[in-house]
Amino acid sequence: MGCIRVDKITEYLCEPLRKCLKDEDPYVQKTAAVCVAKLYDINPQLVEDQGFIDQLRDLLTASNPMVVANAVAALSEINDASQSGAALFDLNSQTINKLLTALNECTEWGQIFILDSLANYTPKDEREAQSVCERVTPRLAHANAAVVLSAVKVLMKFMEVMNPSGEYITTLTKKLAPPLVTLLSAEPEVQYVALRNINLIVQKRSDILKQEMKVFFVKYNDPIYVKLEKLDIMIRLASQGNIAQVLAELKEYATEVDVDFVRKSVRAIGRCAIKVEQSAERCVSTLLDLIQTKVNYVVQEAIVVIKDIFRKYPNKYESIIATLCENLDTLDEPEARASMIWIIGEYAERIDNADELLESFLEGFHDENTQVQLQLLTAIVKLFLKRPQDTQELVQSVLSLATQDSDNPDLRDRGYIYWRLLSTDPAAAKDVVLAEKPLISEETDLIEPTLLDELICYIGSLASVYHKPPSAFVEGRTAARRVLPTRAPGSGSTSPDSETTSTPVQQSTVILPSQGSQGDLIGDLLNMDLGPPMMGSSTTVPMAQAQDAAAIDLLGGGLDSLLGGGAPAAQPAAAAPFGAQMGAGAPMGAGGNMGALGDIFGLGPSLGVTTSTGYVMPKTEWLPASKGKGLELSGTFSRRGREIYMDMTFNNKAMQQMGSFAVQLNKNSFGLVPASPLQVPSPLMPNQSVDVSLQLTTHGPVQRMDPLMNLQVAIKNNIDVFYFSSIVPIHCLFVEDGKMDKRVFLATWKDIPAANEKQFTMSNLPLDAETIDSKLENNNVFNIAKRNVEGQQMLYQSLKLSNGIWVLCEFKVSPGSPDIVVSLKSRAMDVADQVYGVLELICRN
């Protein structure tokens, strides 16, 4: 009857269903449990009103394992379909024990539902986690792949609660490898699902399969989707110990007939070079051997990856450039051509005929792909800055093509920027265009850590195959986001003599599913002015006539006339609209300093970036002399010059001198660690006091603290090690690039659900909007818009924390009222109370 999707039938179904749920026969009970889930799908309100969910919870205590399994399955289905997303049954030690007892005796599908429920449980401590893992581990030997993956998911989640350097983790790691390897002997479709899950597992815990490289070697009859996935995992497992056999395999794959697979294999060789530094030379040699094959697509892929190797290891393998240049004529793919042009521009001083090579690309400039055009423009400007005497015509030619003859706004804007740099301040041009490039990262395609943790919670499901959270592909899903459990705060050592052995976990922005438009307090935000910012007068102001000798126009006026202007001292008329748009109305300073272009390159004051100190809380006593054996320590935190500082006063109240100071911070919510060793003048004599500033960075290991901003500190000196904790004011973590674009602000505010909004009231604070805006701006809380709604002044502000979390703020200031209403919205509301607290402090001080 539960399968008949007709409302009238459901009325006649309730009484028989209630009786069946209490039936003595377990077969009847387990069937009735499934019927409740089907009925909920037809009429959720009826199921809740009739109390069927409570009856399902009672079935969890049944003696028959199949009844328990079906009750768990039904509750899980209802929980997923529920609009509230709230858990329908509490998982406690007693319930978990019953589920584990039923686990051994029910069918494979019942086992999957029970294991999925176990994965949602957070154990109280490490001992309980180990106990559950002991009873789940036998499921790894099950014949059904879904049961195996569900068991792996439970173990992966519970391993997070355990001591990472403990013996039990090592034992569990060894037990996880064989079942995962066994899955790879199944049919290709199962292999693919297993490989996608293994890809996630390897990114989280690479040591599980570090000894199993050979099982991921590609077989000749593997389907292409299996081959590509195996290739990806091989790179993730590559290390100094196995790189020789990996490279031998990849070189073999590069001679296959499947073009896509060959391309991926060549790219994989480049990724090996970047990941394992000791293998870079061998990888480059392998790539050169492949280039000698003269197979067109192999050569092109090799050039693309060699460009990345040059980025990772500058001034190390440039001797091979001549070999690359020999294959210039065979390149027909945009990415390969762009890579070759980058190499020529970057190493122009080492290539005698670099101008001829780049000129050959210039002949068909308008037929080239945008990627190639942009790279060619930059490469020729680089060449000009390195060899200005014989490349003036070439740079004029490419700038003319980019600015006058191109319809592409990206290319045209870049052309104008280069022209202004070259014609006004060659020194700045060199600093910008020839700046030292950051080394490319070891793994550029790793899944973002927060998303990876969420996907680990979905091992064995479609989310783990897509590598996307369910909210990304299931319409209307509102279930709460799953996260991995964490070890209890304070479990790590804070001694300055000890080192943290656990792997740092990077904190990043919390991503929540996108919601529809919610009713909120932002008012009619659609009327907010989203037009371009007013730049004042659109008239072009002439540049300063007096220019420093170092800023002479390298182009000799040729470029100015090319763009329709007059003498080099004035901006060309043709460029006036562009200049007006980019803020060229401001006069340029003498000495060739940048005016408008300073804004673009972050050299001017117009980016909303402040270097002022902002509000600094008064110093408080962190370590009294009675606990510090005569050492009294007070301090505070501040942000100045884009950096976080721990400002301390050391006061020696003992009868002996002190020295050999060192500091260590425990893992904390924002990864704060010292940027350099603690420098305290030694010896610190009795009754002597000294002020010390310790610069901090946010690149350390992350662990959520309670309270959130708590920082546990250990200070060591020649007398002893002293421990204390302090609260870091969260505004020290407000970064300078926290000004959000108006359109992005509007879209983000509407996208964040109403549940993620908190309202506060600042009482007895008679400030106007301008004063509030000014105070907040000094502390990296940036104004997005101001509006007047029914006599109330509305301020919309944005701020960004050092770990990438954005907080959007709305201030309501009513004339004549001393109270200010503040609304905060964020995808991570854990920070809301702390943010409001410092906003009030800033406004009151």
Side-chain angles (χ1 to χ4, degrees):
M1 287 176 73
C3 295
I4 305 173
R5 300 182 62 83
V6 178
D7 285 337
K8 289 185 179 178
I9 295 289
T10 58
E11 298 171 13
Y12 301 99
L13 178 61
C14 292
E15 280 309 311
L17 180 57
R18 187 176 285 106
K19 288 178 183 176
C20 289
L21 285 168
K22 294 179 181 177
D23 198 282
E24 293 180 0
D25 190 334
Y27 186 86
V28 175
Q29 280 188 317
K30 80 179 183 66
T31 309
V34 175
C35 185
V36 174
K38 291 181 177 180
L39 182 60
Y40 187 89
D41 193 40
I42 300 168
N43 192 335
Q45 194 60 46
L46 179 69
V47 171
E48 291 174 12
D49 293 345
Q50 293 287 334
F52 288 138
I53 292 176
D54 292 329
Q55 285 188 271
L56 277 181
R57 290 194 191 103
D58 294 339
L59 291 184
L60 292 175
T61 60
S63 57
N64 187 286
M66 276 310 305
V67 174
V68 175
N70 278 21
V72 170
L75 285 167
S76 300
E77 291 286 338
I78 292 170
N79 201 51
D80 284 345
S82 169
Q83 291 299 314
S84 67
L88 293 178
F89 62 106
D90 293 327
L91 288 170
N92 50 45
S93 301
Q94 190 178 1
T95 313
I96 290 297
N97 200 36
K98 288 183 177 172
L99 294 184
L100 287 167
T101 305
L103 185 62
N104 297 320
E105 300 176 42
C106 58
T107 66
E108 53 196 23
W109 297 113
Q111 290 181 36
I112 291 167
F113 278 112
I114 288 175
L115 287 167
D116 285 348
S117 294
L118 287 173
N120 293 329
Y121 175 63
T122 303
K124 294 195 293 286
D125 52 31
E126 186 170 347
R127 182 180 296 176
E128 187 183 16
Q130 289 187 14
S131 171
V132 174
C133 288
E134 281 293 336
R135 297 175 70 176
V136 168
T137 305
R139 300 302 101 205
L140 294 174
H142 202 282
N144 187 303
V147 175
V148 173
L149 285 175
S150 293
V152 169
K153 171 170 62 181
V154 175
L155 297 177
M156 286 290 290
K157 286 192 72 173
F158 282 24
M159 283 167 82
E160 294 295 309
V161 184
M162 301 177 200
N163 181 3
S165 56
E167 284 184 20
Y168 193 77
I169 285 282
T170 310
T171 308
L172 212 51
T173 299
K174 288 177 182 174
K175 288 181 180 178
L176 278 170
L180 292 172
V181 170
T182 305
L183 291 177
L184 299 182
S185 58
E187 54 270 23
E189 292 78 11
V190 175
Q191 273 190 61
Y192 179 71
V193 172
L195 286 166
R196 292 293 281 175
N197 282 276
I198 288 170
N199 200 326
L200 295 174
I201 292 165
V202 166
Q203 288 184 57
K204 186 68 181 174
R205 294 184 179 272
S206 59
D207 51 338
I208 291 176
L209 290 162
K210 66 182 177 184
Q211 305 296 335
E212 308 292 342
M213 175 64 82
K214 285 190 176 179
V215 300
F216 298 106
F217 286 174
V218 171
K219 297 174 185 172
Y220 76 95
N221 59 347
D222 280 340
I224 184 63
Y225 53 87
V226 171
K227 284 182 177 180
L228 295 177
E229 205 57 40
K230 281 184 173 180
L231 200 59
D232 198 32
I233 295 170
M234 279 172 65
I235 306 306
R236 300 200 191 285
L237 292 175
S239 63
Q240 193 176 348
N242 58 26
I243 195 66
Q245 60 181 155
V246 171
L247 278 179
E249 279 288 311
L250 293 176
K251 191 173 180 181
E252 191 70 29
Y253 300 160
T255 60
E256 292 269 352
V257 291
D258 190 315
V259 176
D260 283 341
F261 183 53
V262 171
R263 288 179 183 276
K264 293 277 187 184
S265 302
V266 176
R267 294 227 173 184
I269 295 172
R271 284 174 63 190
C272 282
I274 291 164
K275 183 177 181 184
V276 186
E277 187 171 347
Q278 296 83 353
S279 73
E281 196 161 335
R282 187 181 290 177
C283 292
V284 171
S285 174
T286 305
L287 289 168
L288 286 176
D289 290 344
L290 293 173
I291 287 174
Q292 298 305 329
T293 63
K294 301 295 182 186
V295 177
N296 186 265
Y297 53 86
V298 174
V299 172
Q300 303 202 71
E301 287 296 329
I303 286 173
V304 171
V305 298
I306 285 173
K307 180 205 73 171
D308 292 338
I309 292 172
F310 282 172
R311 284 284 307 276
K312 178 71 174 175
Y313 309 109
N315 304 316
K316 200 168 180 184
Y317 301 109
E318 282 73 22
S319 56
I320 68 170
I321 290 175
T323 310
L324 302 182
C325 290
E326 291 170 9
N327 297 278
L328 211 55
D329 297 335
T330 63
L331 307 180
D332 53 19
E333 293 174 9
E335 192 174 6
R337 289 172 75 83
S339 297
M340 192 67 227
I341 290 167
W342 182 87
I343 291 169
I344 296 170
E346 189 68 16
Y347 300 101
E349 69 277 12
R350 304 183 188 198
I351 305 171
D352 295 336
N353 61 337
D355 52 342
E356 294 173 18
L357 296 176
L358 292 176
E359 196 168 1
S360 66
F361 285 103
L362 205 57
E363 290 167 4
F365 185 79
H366 289 301
D367 299 325
E368 296 283 8
N369 181 279
T370 303
Q371 181 183 6
V372 179
Q373 290 178 333
L374 288 165
Q375 200 59 260
L376 188 55
L377 172 60
T378 301
I380 291 175
V381 172
K382 283 181 185 175
L383 174 65
F384 173 70
L385 289 169
K386 292 174 181 178
R387 290 158 47 182
Q389 301 305 324
D390 50 353
T391 54
Q392 185 169 326
E393 287 185 17
L394 186 62
V395 78
Q396 287 183 3
S397 175
V398 74
L399 287 169
S400 172
L401 289 167
T403 55
Q404 287 191 330
D405 303 339
S406 172
D407 295 330
N408 186 314
D410 292 336
L411 183 64
R412 197 168 57 241
D413 288 358
R414 189 182 291 192
Y416 278 124
I417 289 169
Y418 284 153
W419 160 65
R420 291 188 174 189
L421 277 170
L422 292 170
S423 58
T424 58
D425 194 344
K430 276 196 172 185
D431 289 343
V432 171
V433 182
L434 302 181
E436 188 175 335
K437 289 155 194 65
L439 299 181
I440 61 175
S441 61
E442 183 178 299
E443 288 280 7
T444 53
D445 58 343
L446 285 176
I447 294 175
E448 184 269 323
T450 309
L451 176 58
L452 177 62
D453 287 352
E454 184 176 359
L455 292 178
I456 291 292
C457 301
Y458 289 106
I459 284 177
S461 70
L462 206 53
S464 66
V465 178
Y466 286 160
H467 287 188
K468 293 179 180 178
S471 56
F473 58 87
V474 179
E475 278 190 34
R477 184 178 173 83
T478 56
R481 184 176 158 273
R482 295 185 189 177
V483 291
L484 289 178
T486 55
R487 294 196 74 204
S491 56
S493 168
T494 57
S495 166
D497 295 325
S498 67
E499 287 186 14
T500 304
T501 54
S502 62
T503 310
V505 180
Q506 293 183 2
Q507 179 95 355
S508 59
T509 311
V510 179
I511 307 297
L512 288 177
S514 178
Q515 301 288 331
S517 178
Q518 304 280 348
D520 50 39
L521 297 170
I522 199 163
D524 186 13
L525 196 57
L526 287 170
N527 293 330
M528 185 192 289
D529 177 21
L530 292 174
M534 295 300 290
M535 306 303 292
S537 169
S538 61
T539 345
T540 307
V541 180
M543 299 176 197
Q545 299 293 323
Q547 291 210 344
D548 194 280
I552 56 169
D553 185 2
L554 283 180
L555 297 170
L559 187 60
D560 295 296
S561 56
L562 177 74
L563 292 171
Q571 283 191 335
F578 177 82
Q581 182 188 344
M582 299 303 292
M588 286 188 143
N593 288 329
M594 298 301 297
L597 283 170
D599 301 346
I600 300 168
F601 289 96
L603 304 172
S606 305
L607 281 177
V609 174
T610 174
T611 55
S612 64
T613 309
Y615 172 62
V616 180
M617 295 180 71
K619 286 184 178 179
T620 54
E621 187 179 69
W622 287 343
L623 181 69
S626 57
K627 291 186 178 179
K629 296 185 180 178
L631 174 64
E632 183 183 83
L633 180 62
S634 57
T636 186
F637 295 87
S638 64
R639 186 178 188 89
R640 51 185 187 271
R642 295 173 170 263
E643 303 294 345
I644 306 163
Y645 288 90
M646 193 172 179
D647 299 320
M648 297 171 281
T649 300
F650 288 77
N651 193 352
N652 183 0
K653 293 191 173 180
M655 300 301 291
Q656 60 179 316
Q657 63 186 32
M658 296 180 179
S660 305
F661 285 92
V663 65
Q664 183 164 319
L665 309 183
N666 198 2
K667 289 186 284 188
N668 52 80
S669 303
F670 287 85
L672 289 170
V673 289
S676 58
L678 178 64
Q679 302 289 339
V680 180
S682 293
L684 187 64
M685 304 304 290
N687 296 317
Q688 185 184 354
S689 175
V690 65
D691 290 330
V692 176
S693 281
L694 177 67
Q695 186 179 331
L696 305 179
T697 71
T698 53
H699 304 315
V702 172
Q703 176 176 294
R704 183 189 169 87
M705 302 301 288
D706 188 17
L708 186 71
M709 301 310 297
N710 191 36
L711 183 66
Q712 297 173 343
V713 186
I715 292 281
K716 173 189 171 188
N717 63 10
N718 59 327
I719 298 174
D720 203 348
V721 180
F722 309 104
Y723 302 92
F724 62 89
S725 62
S726 60
I727 300 296
V728 182
I730 199 169
H731 72 289
C732 294
L733 301 165
F734 295 174
V735 294
E736 284 71 17
D737 61 347
K739 183 158 187 173
M740 193 178 274
D741 178 80
K742 285 184 181 179
R743 287 182 175 82
V744 177
F745 183 94
L746 171 59
T748 307
W749 184 285
K750 297 179 78 175
D751 190 44
I752 296 175
N756 279 39
E757 181 174 356
K758 263 195 171 184
Q759 242 189 51
F760 305 89
T761 302
M762 295 183 185
S763 303
N764 198 23
L765 188 62
L767 296 178
D768 58 20
E770 284 69 26
T771 309
I772 294 171
D773 185 22
S774 172
K775 286 181 177 235
L776 296 178
E777 188 92 14
N778 285 336
N779 291 275
N780 295 337
V781 183
F782 300 102
N783 181 259
I784 308 302
K786 295 179 185 175
R787 295 179 59 219
N788 199 304
V789 180
E790 297 175 356
Q792 287 184 323
Q793 288 180 301
M794 311 285 282
L795 289 180
Y796 299 103
Q797 315 279 138
S798 71
L799 64 93
K800 181 182 173 186
L801 296 175
S802 58
N803 62 356
I805 291 175
W806 287 88
V807 180
L808 312 186
C809 320
E810 178 194 67
F811 288 76
K812 284 185 184 176
V813 184
S814 302
S817 170
D819 296 344
I820 297 168
V821 179
V822 182
S823 300
L824 301 183
K825 265 195 169 190
S826 176
R827 298 191 195 279
M829 288 306 288
D830 296 346
V831 301
D833 291 327
Q834 285 78 13
V835 169
Y836 169 73
V838 296
L839 291 180
E840 185 169 19
L841 272 174
I842 290 165
C843 289
R844 290 190 186 277
N845 289 278

